[in-house]
Amino acid sequence: MEINSTKLTMHNKFCTKKILDIFQTIKQFDGKTYICCNYKIIDGENLPRLVSFLLTLQPKTNIKIIAEGRNVHKHLSLLKDMMTKSADYMKVNPKTVLISKKTMYI
């Protein structure tokens, strides 16, 4: 059994789909995963806390991921890659306006 950690800086906010992908990766790991930021620590297997924690992170926030179990280096490397790929971050799109003859939807 090993314990190790990695630090990373969040550059953008996560979308919900990405958080669910991170959760699935954590659940498949043979061990425990914790995420720390600003003196707060959460268990990665607690989906409601993981979602609220990651959705409230501000850009340029430093976080630490701690893993305890087997093959922690591989697990931490996978999570770090998932959390830092810019293509998987939430992108803000302008609102789409649909106009019909009688109503306008935003």
Side-chain angles (χ1 to χ4, degrees):
M1 178 113 24
E2 306 172 60
I3 297 176
N4 206 341
S5 66
T6 188
K7 292 181 182 179
L8 56 109
T9 302
M10 305 312 308
H11 296 289
N12 295 303
K13 289 189 166 274
F14 287 115
C15 65
T16 306
K17 182 187 178 320
K18 188 59 169 175
I19 294 171
L20 292 175
D21 291 342
I22 292 166
F23 175 72
Q24 287 299 321
T25 301
I26 290 171
K27 289 294 282 182
Q28 293 171 358
F29 176 60
D30 184 23
K32 298 293 277 179
T33 305
Y34 303 95
I35 302 175
C36 308
C37 177
N38 297 330
Y39 304 103
K40 294 179 186 175
I41 185 167
I42 60 131
D43 180 352
E45 291 185 10
N46 185 327
L47 182 58
R49 286 188 187 239
L50 180 67
V51 170
S52 64
F53 183 84
L54 293 178
L55 284 178
T56 58
L57 287 179
Q58 296 301 313
K60 299 186 180 178
T61 299
N62 296 316
I63 66 170
K64 185 177 206 174
I65 306 169
I66 303 167
E68 176 184 10
R70 303 181 202 288
N71 299 318
V72 294
H73 295 288
K74 182 179 176 182
H75 178 63
L76 289 173
S77 177
L78 179 61
L79 284 175
K80 189 171 185 175
D81 287 347
M82 290 178 75
M83 296 174 108
T84 56
K85 283 186 179 178
S86 61
D88 293 327
Y89 288 110
M90 179 174 63
K91 293 180 180 153
V92 178
N93 296 323
K95 289 184 178 179
T96 303
V97 177
L98 302 172
I99 301 175
S100 71
K101 293 180 181 179
K102 296 181 181 179
T103 58
M104 178 172 59
Y105 301 95
I106 295 181

